[in-house]
Amino acid sequence: MVDFSAGISSLILPGGRSIAEALGSEDDIRRVLGQISDAYGFRGFLVLSIPEAGCHSLSTQALMTTWPSEFLRRYDSAGLIDGSPVVQRLRRSTIPFTYDAHQLARRRLDGKGDAAVSVFETAGLPRGLYLPVHDASGRRAAIAFGGSRELVSNDEMQALNLWAGLLYSRLSEVRGRDRRGPGSLSRREIECLRWAAAGKTTMEMARIMALSEYTVNHYLNRATRKLDSVNRVQTVAKAMRAGLIN
């Protein structure tokens, strides 16, 4: 068991395995992020592409998350991204920072402070932190951890910032590798397509696979892109013809 509070230097891998070998898939990265979240007492994590001006949806920018899908739905339904002090800060700064939903509400100028507090409190995410990250090509994102624990200390912030940089870089490498190999579906993508072929809805698949609906849709959408399809039905048909699923 890795002591995540000790930072990246604690990642001593048995058998001399490299980080690339240990984190060979998105599922591996998701698992480690979940373990870090648990180790520090958070409810969950969010990997977020920095929304550009004119973007009105947080859910479309979520690359990977264990935050409740209902949180993303309510956040977008209330139109909270436009006046978000967090999004504004992420666009102009690369310095990690903590958040408190109640304090942020007082900084909103659009009158949606109470709605924002309600969305975060209901999801059990009133406090946490955002860690700006970037990959080798300069693409910017942020990894957020949220929950109800007290705000992190400086030492915790430094350790989490190191882990965030490592894991986002690895996530970008894995996604880049997958994009270079169209038709090479991951185990999770194939599993989702098998259930889709069996007529299961996204909600049913999420329940069967113990994943969020957001995550199931992410795997299906990625499979659709890899197989150069226009919708889920065509993706399933192409996967069957290619012998990827029965």
Side-chain angles (χ1 to χ4, degrees), residues 185-197:
L185 302 186
S186 71
R187 176 180 61 83
R188 281 296 200 187
E189 290 162 358
I190 291 173
E191 189 177 1
C192 287
L193 287 177
R194 282 174 177 159
W195 286 118

Side-chain angles (χ1 to χ4, degrees), residues 157-239:
M157 175 82 82
Q158 290 179 22
L160 285 165
N161 196 39
L162 289 172
W163 276 108
L166 168 70
L167 293 169
Y168 180 70
S169 292
R170 185 59 190 146
L171 176 62
S172 296
E173 291 170 1
V174 169
R175 288 193 162 197
R177 177 198 66 199
D178 289 345
R179 283 193 294 269
R180 290 191 295 272
S184 177
L185 302 186
S186 71
R187 176 180 61 83
R188 281 296 200 187
E189 290 162 358
I190 291 173
E191 189 177 1
C192 287
L193 287 177
R194 282 174 177 159
W195 286 118
K200 300 298 183 183
T201 66
T202 299
M203 182 180 298
E204 289 170 334
M205 283 187 270
R207 191 178 305 118
I208 292 168
M209 300 169 65
L211 299 172
S212 69
E213 291 181 51
Y214 163 82
T215 301
V216 170
N217 280 323
H218 167 72
Y219 285 130
L220 289 170
N221 290 338
R222 196 170 63 183
T224 296
R225 290 194 300 271
K226 286 182 179 181
L227 296 179
D228 194 25
S229 304
V230 297
N231 55 41
R232 187 177 300 185
V233 173
Q234 187 182 30
T235 302
V236 169
K238 282 190 172 184

Side-chain angles (χ1 to χ4, degrees), residues 3 47 90 92 135 139 148 154 178 204 237:
D3 177 9
V47 183
L90 288 173
R92 67 173 185 267
D135 62 17
R139 282 191 296 266
S148 57
N154 287 334
D178 289 345
E204 289 170 334

Side-chain angles (χ1 to χ4, degrees), residues 74 78 80 111-120:
R74 291 190 64 204
L80 296 177
K112 295 182 178 180
D114 290 343
V117 168
S118 175
V119 169
F120 277 88

Side-chain angles (χ1 to χ4, degrees), residues 56-71:
H56 305 293
S57 170
L58 185 70
S59 59
T60 59
Q61 304 304 111
L63 304 177
M64 179 182 290
T65 188
T66 55
W67 287 9
S69 57
E70 181 65 11
F71 164 84

